[in-house]
């Protein structure tokens, strides 16, 4: 770890005021401190934002509002979240470990960095960590890497479970900077790696996430998150699926579907949603709808299984959701 | 009257210290007298696998706050004063002197060491050290590099051998003449020991030529001897303290580069030095299980009776420390009766970190191959897997022809099958579905050698407060060895456990048994019995000779010792009172030499595993839902610790079957999964309740006579064979066989992961 200065402001204004190009905001620290120890990130100034008033969970006619500093465990345990947005609570509970969820914040979760082993090992080339140095994963061990949204410069998968249901539900992220506040749909908040994998989102330097809003929707309450991994707990997803269905009788009236573990960002599957809508909720519909879910996938040596596993994960999630009715 | 603690559920004597954090492991130990002086070291490791270091830039590290020294290759660092190791200790010492040459032999080798006032300063300065290399392409492929015969197995038998029935020309001919032939190839990647406690060392020099080392070691005596040679000291001037150890599994058998470096720096600086490896460094600096390829061919009659067994393997020979991997050893060459046998082990020299024995070193991978092939034979012949094994049951060892000292394997099958409900099984694959989950069951046999080791000693001291101290320089890796020493002492002396103080983990104690090869218990217990016998004889001698004793002048033969009390001539006295009466604080005696293995028999432990899994029919995750293990391990000394060992062994099997692998990058020689996020070991959620049964049949032919042989310690040695590894042997195969039964998919490459399964689901 390199030396840094440390501040603990009490207001958003104060937090933003002193922020410079080498500032890092510290929330739960479960990503940031790790990466500082590995010297993957080396901020000169660390601003602890835990005293800022960015907490609170509220549910109103517009939807669910969650402050950026709410802890993963608190959000997962919240009755309103569990009843109205079950797949959000499920995605949180299937993440990390109980200890980590007690520390980790919602804002930090959305900004966590990829688990690509080369990104985290400073002795290997990595374009995301050191632009222009090369991507070790292309010819290296890439079992956990993305197949969708990749580029020749980076194939790192997006690690967040939470972001998957949030993207499916058209969540909006609220941001604040010295220049004012703005709100951005989470889906466009994340950017593709292209030739600049070091840029992962549209957050400006020294812009804070203050909170998120998950819109109200008739289908969110009938939703499910499925996470596939080698180990039963404490592992990132090989693939995951967030599915929400609006139903009239046996007919699907609306569908929201997103996938994790396969994309360089949380991957909304609008084509699958369209293929489900207006059809009966049957195995045949599910099978047909997912056929093209992984179109455009670019598999590598060790992750060639991901398109098939993605399709299977989707069918499993849809089947399980349908059976839970 | 005290009941003997042997065989009961005994809490660890150090359990409370461990769970409250009061037990001081090597990295915790503070060296109280020299605490203010303590300096901290951190290693820098290579980022190529083969070549030479051309330059190391240490300027920034040297200028970093708190830094005392930066020792860096390529220049030989004379001030570290490290020397070669030869003779007996060489087999347990990494075979190159660290930081003394420019050569890089594997990715992750130590190339520099920073010593600073605090661990953080040392770590941060180490990150500023940069190296440049002249790199060569590393040798990384066991398939492509030239193969050499492995040489003798750990027990000294040939790793390549043919036993052919009269008139049979070759194993191929025997196979060709068999009605049914099964041939299968198996692969597994590099696996790691992953002890919970990181390797840590503290070196404290008392005098210029005398040092005390605190480090986790499985073979304390060899470790200390290796250190003495590395440091150029007399053997008696190195004292190793290894009181608490957070897991060995083979990784602490070897004196790796960390301990000599810390001790050498401490000598040069004139301060105690502590060095703690990072978790990442442990993956390359403290050994691994070689990745390997195995081919098993079985030939049998239509009824499943074996006619030929062939088991071949190719594994790594790292260019530095190398464990000779011979997976057919004690598996295919021991388990089943067969008229024709062929085993062969080859190695390929690779530029890969040093390898080392890992729990069930040959037997775990070897049994995965053999027991999977047996399951395939059961399918091919239509014979039930348990019945198939009974049909091929060996009553004498297939290679030596010797009978076993004790063997209750058939009973293991019977008890296990009954407890598990094996008969309710459908042998037709993929016939049990519950919602999304395909259910299946499988079984496998376990076998592990119980080779008795000799040359160790135990001291028993009787004290005048009616307590006893039992001392031996073995180490407790977390297995419960300390408690085993106390239990066997209490049993041998017939006094309550609470009055026995065990003392282990110090090379200044009588030389203790190594904690390897599941042999610590069966090597130690007879010595405790013998030392107790000797000290009781000495007590009687004092009783009849010393002033103050009521028996002075009587004949020792007329005295009888029973449960802590001497009786004779109508009088009785506890040993404590007697010692007080004669003005002695205590009397001690060591065990006698001898106790060599009984000739003409062979020793193994046995077991049978039964397991149920479910596999998701969409996404292919395998989850173990039930597990029953029945073990024939001789007498059980501590039922609680024994069950923990067997449960832990099975959990190793779950890791082996479903999770554990480190991918070697062929291009760079880097082990890609060298963190605990990327190298998956089972977590609690992966482990069902594991039902463990121990037959508790004492082995009557375990130990030969000790001392003058006047009393048959063999029969009093309790007949405990040891059980640290047998849970790991065969358990992975039982899981793989259950996966086949659940899905109809046979995977011969472990771990069995969703990506491999879904292709066939
Ligand atoms: C062992 C392990 C296992 C894990 N497993 C999973 C898993 O299975 N699934 C999963 O989804 N996640 C997993 N995680 C990741 C974990 O969820 C994240 O580390 C956590 O959510 C990050 O939140 P934090 O508050 O600790 O963020 P921090 O570490 O404090 O911050 C993370 C990043 O976000 C920035 N930041 C934080 N808050 C704000 C804000 N309000 N505005 C602007 N910038 C901000 C920080 O500067 C930093 O760059 C795992 C982590 C670990 C260590
Ligand atoms: S995939 Fe991305 S993060 Fe990983 S090495 Fe390549 S550039 Fe770096």
């Amino acid at each position: 770890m390199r030396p840094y200065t440390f501040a603990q402001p009490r207001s958003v204004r104060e937090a933003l005021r002193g922020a410079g190009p080498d500032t890092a905001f510290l929330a739960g620290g479960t990503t940031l401190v790790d990466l500082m120890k590995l010297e993957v990130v080396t901020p000169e100034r660390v601003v602890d934002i835990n005293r800022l008033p960015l907490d609170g969970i509220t549910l109103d006619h517009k939807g669910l509002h969650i402050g950026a500093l709410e802890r993963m465990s608190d959000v997962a345990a919240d009755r309103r979240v569990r009843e109205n947005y079950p797949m959000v609570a499920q995605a949180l509970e299937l993440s990390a470990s109980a200890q980590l969820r007690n520390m980790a914040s919602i804002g930090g979760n959305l900004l966590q960095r990829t688990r690509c082993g080369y990104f985290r090992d400073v002795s290997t080339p990595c374009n995301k960590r050191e632009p222009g140095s090369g991507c070790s994963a292309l010819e290296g061990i890439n079992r956990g890497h993305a197949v969708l949204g990749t580029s020749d410069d980076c194939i790192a998968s997006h690690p967040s479970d939470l972001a998957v249901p949030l993207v499916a539900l058209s969540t909006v992220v609220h941001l604040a900077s010295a220049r004012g506040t703005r709100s951005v749909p989470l889906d466009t908040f994340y950017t593709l790696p292209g030739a600049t994998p070091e840029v992962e989102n549209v957050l400006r330097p020294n812009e804070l996430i203050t909170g998120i809003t998950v819109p109200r929707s008739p289908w969110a309450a009938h939703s499910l998150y499925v996470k596939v991994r080698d180990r039963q707990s404490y592992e990132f997803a090989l693939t995951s699926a967030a599915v929400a269905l609006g139903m009239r009788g046996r007919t699907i009236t609306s569908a929201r579907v997103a996938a994790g573990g396969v994309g360089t960002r949380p991957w909304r599957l609008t084509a699958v949603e369209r293929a489900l809508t207006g059809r009966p909720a049957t195995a045949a519909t599910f099978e047909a709808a997912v056929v093209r879910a992984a179109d455009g996938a670019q598999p590598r040596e060790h992750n060639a299984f991901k398109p098939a596993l993605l399709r299977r994960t989707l069918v499993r999630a849809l089947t399980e959701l349908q059976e839970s009715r | 009257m005290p009941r003997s603690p042997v065989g009961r559920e005994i809490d660890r004597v150090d359990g409370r210290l461990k769970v409250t954090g009061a037990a001081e492991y090597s990295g915790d130990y503070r060296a109280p007298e020299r605490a203010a002086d303590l300096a901290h070291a951190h290693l820098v490791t290579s980022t190529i696998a083969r070549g030479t270091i051309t330059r190391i830039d240490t300027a920034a590290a040297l200028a970093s706050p708190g830094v005392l020294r930066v020792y860096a290759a390529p220049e030989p660092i004379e001030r570290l004063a490290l020397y070669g190791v030869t003779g007996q200790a060489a087999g347990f010492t990494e075979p190159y002197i660290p930081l003394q040459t420019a050569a890089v032999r594997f990715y992750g080798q130590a190339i520099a060491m920073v010593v600073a006032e605090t661990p953080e300063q040392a770590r941060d300065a180490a990150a500023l050290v940069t190296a440049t290399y002249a790199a060569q392409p590393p040798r990384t492929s066991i398939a492509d590099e030239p193969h050499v015969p492995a040489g003798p197995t750990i027990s000294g038998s040939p790793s390549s051998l043919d036993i052919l029935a009269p008139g049979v020309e070759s194993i191929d001919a025997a196979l060709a003449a068999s009605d049914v032939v099964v041939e299968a190839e198996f692969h597994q990647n590099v696996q790691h020991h992953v002890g919970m406690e990181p390797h840590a060392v503290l070196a404290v020099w008392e005098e210029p030529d005398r040092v005390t080392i605190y480090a986790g070691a499985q073979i304390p005596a060899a470790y200390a001897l290796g250190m003495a040679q590395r440091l150029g000291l007399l053997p008696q001037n190195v004292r190793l303290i290894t009181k608490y150890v957070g897991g060995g599994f083979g990784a602490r058998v070897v004196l790796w580069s960390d301990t000599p470096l810390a001790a050498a720096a401490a000598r040069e600086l004139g301060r105690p030095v502590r060095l703690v490896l990072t978790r990442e460094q442990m993956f390359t600096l403290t050994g691994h299980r070689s990745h390997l390829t195995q081919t098993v061919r079985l030939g049998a009659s239509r009824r499943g009776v074996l006619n030929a067994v062939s088991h071949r393997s190719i594994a790594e020979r790292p260019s530095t420390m190398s464990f000779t991997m011979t997976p057919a050893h004690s598996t295919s060459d021991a388990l089943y009766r067969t008229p024709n046998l062929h085993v062969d082990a080859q190695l390929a020299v690779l530029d890969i970190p040093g390898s080392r024995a890992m729990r069930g070193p040959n037997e775990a991978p070897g049994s995965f191959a053999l027991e999977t092939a047996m399951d395939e034979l059961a399918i091919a012949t239509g014979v039930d897997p348990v019945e198939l094994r009974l049909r091929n049951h060996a009553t004498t060892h297939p290679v030596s022809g010797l009978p076993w000292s004790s063997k209750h394997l058939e009973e293991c099958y019977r008890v296990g099958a009954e407890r598990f409900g094996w008969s309710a099984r459908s042998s037709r694959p993929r016939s049990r579905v519950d919602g999304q989950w395909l259910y299946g069951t499988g079984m496998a046999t376990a076998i592990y050698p119980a080779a008795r080791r000799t040359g160790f000693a135990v001291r028993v001291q009787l004290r005048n407060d009616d307590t006893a101290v039992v001392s031996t320089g073995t180490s407790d890796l977390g297995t419960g060895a300390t408690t085993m020493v106390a239990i066997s002492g209490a049993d041998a002396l017939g006094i309550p456990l609470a009055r026995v103080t065990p003392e282990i983990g110090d090379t200044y104690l009588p030389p203790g048994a190594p904690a390897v090869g599941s042999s610590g218990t069966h090597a130690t217990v007879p010595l405790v019995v013998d030392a107790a016998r000797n000290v009781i004889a000495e007590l009687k001698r004092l009783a009849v000779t010393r002033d103050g004793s009521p028996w002075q002048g009587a004949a020792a033969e007329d005295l009888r010792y029973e449960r802590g009390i001497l009786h004779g001539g109508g009088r009785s006295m506890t040993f404590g009172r007697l010692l007080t009466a004669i003005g002695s604080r205590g009397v001690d005696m060591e065990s006698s030499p001898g106790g060599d293995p009984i000739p003409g028999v062979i020793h193994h432990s046995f077991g049978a595993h039964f397991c149920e899994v479910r596999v998701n029919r969409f996404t292919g995750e395998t989850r173990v839902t039930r597990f029953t293990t029945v073990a024939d391990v001789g007498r059980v000394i501590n039922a609680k610790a024994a069950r923990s060992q067997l449960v832990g062994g099975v959990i190793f099997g779950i890791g082996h079957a479903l999770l554990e692998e480190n991918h070697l990058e062929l291009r760079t020689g880097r082990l890609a999964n060298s963190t605990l996020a990327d190298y998956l070991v089972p977590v609690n959620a992966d482990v069902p309740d594991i039902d463990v049964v121990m037959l508790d049949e004492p082995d009557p032919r375990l130990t030969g006579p000790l001392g003058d042989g006047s009393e048959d310690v063999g029969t009093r040695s309790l007949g405990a064979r040891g059980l640290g590894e047998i849970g790991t042997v065969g358990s992975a195969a039982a899981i793989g066989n259950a996966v086949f039964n659940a899905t109809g998919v046979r995977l011969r490459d472990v771990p069995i992961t969703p990506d491999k399964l879904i292709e066939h689901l």
Side-chain angles (χ1 to χ4, degrees), chain B residues 90 118 174 185 196 208 218 329 388 399 520 535 744 748:
Chain B
T118 71
E185 191 174 302
M196 264 218 274
Q218 293 183 240
H329 173 63
L388 181 77
V399 175
V535 81
R748 300 180 188 88

Side-chain angles (χ1 to χ4, degrees), chain A residues 1 118 231-232 312 316 320, chain B residues 436 619 665 681 685 761:
Chain A
M1 204 180 281
Y118 303 101
R231 183 157 76 180
Q232 203 145 203
R312 286 168 165 272
R316 172 175 165 190
E320 212 171 306
Chain B
Q436 301 185 10
T619 46
E665 294 175 1
V681 293
L761 285 180

Side-chain angles (χ1 to χ4, degrees), chain A residues 25 27-32 96 100 105 108-109 111-112 161 209 227 236:
Chain A
F25 296 120
T30 62
T31 286
L32 182 66
L100 283 159
S105 68
N109 185 297
L111 293 174
Q112 64 175 291
D161 287 298
I209 296 185
K227 180 172 180 178
F236 288 88

Side-chain angles (χ1 to χ4, degrees), chain B residues 306-356:
Chain B
L306 287 169
N307 175 47
V309 173
S310 163
H311 189 161
R312 306 173 63 90
S313 63
I314 307 168
E316 308 161 9
R317 167 157 282 167
S319 63
T320 58
M321 192 81 217
S322 172
F323 173 75
T324 302
M325 174 71 92
T326 56
H329 173 63
S330 267
T331 58
S332 294
D333 75 1
L335 195 43
Y336 298 114
R337 186 185 54 225
T338 176
N340 300 289
L341 174 70
H342 168 75
V343 300
D344 180 61
Q346 301 282 322
L347 303 175
V349 177
L350 301 187
D351 301 302
I352 185 170
S355 65
R356 203 55 219 167

